[in-house]
Amino acid sequence: MKIAKLSDVKNELSRYVEHVRKGGRVRILVSGVPAADLVPVDEASPDWTPDLASLERSGTIRRGKAGLARELLEAGPKVDARRLKQLLSEERDDRGGER
């Protein structure tokens, strides 16, 4: 882990971000006191906001353990726009203008 002063990080942010993108970590000091860690995204709970994390800690919600089903990631059926418009028009006609 690299240790750097805040002023150095501000002046050379791109360099430090590149270091972190390669898997490194940077501890940032303010007046010689550790204030923050710059870590890769994977280590910083990628898809959780603090609100969801607090709900999980309180037992209100449970985080799923399984990944997404492969079917959900596959493209759905192709839809012919002209046919879809025709079906919608027919449905509206069948309803007789009801809402």
Side-chain angles (χ1 to χ4, degrees), residues 31-47:
S31 301
V33 177
D37 286 335
L38 192 56
V39 299
V41 173
D42 294 336
E43 294 181 31
S45 50
D47 57 354

Side-chain angles (χ1 to χ4, degrees), residues 12 15 30 35 38 40 42-43 51 56 67 75 81-82 85 92:
E12 300 179 46
R15 189 181 88 182
V30 176
L38 192 56
D42 294 336
E43 294 181 31
D51 294 333
E56 185 179 28
R82 289 175 294 197
K85 287 179 184 177
R92 289 179 183 143

Side-chain angles (χ1 to χ4, degrees), residues 23-97:
R25 297 168 56 104
V26 179
R27 172 138 310 152
I28 301 170
L29 306 177
V30 176
S31 301
V33 177
D37 286 335
L38 192 56
V39 299
V41 173
D42 294 336
E43 294 181 31
S45 50
D47 57 354
W48 283 92
T49 64
D51 294 333
L52 289 177
S54 66
L55 288 172
E56 185 179 28
R57 280 192 301 276
S58 69
T60 304
I61 64 170
R62 262 187 309 169
R63 185 176 182 178
K65 302 243 186 278
L68 288 175
R70 185 180 238 25
E71 297 84 34
L72 293 175
L73 300 175
E74 294 174 1
K78 301 229 186 255
V79 177
D80 178 13
R82 289 175 294 197
R83 178 70 179 135
L84 182 59
K85 287 179 184 177
Q86 179 184 357
L87 290 170
L88 286 171
S89 178
E90 290 171 6
E91 182 178 328
R92 289 179 183 143
D93 291 344
D94 289 346
R95 289 178 24 193

Side-chain angles (χ1 to χ4, degrees), residues 5-14 16 28:
K5 293 187 270 182
L6 178 61
S7 58
D8 293 340
V9 174
K10 288 189 330 188
N11 292 333
E12 300 179 46
L13 182 60
S14 296
Y16 286 103
I28 301 170

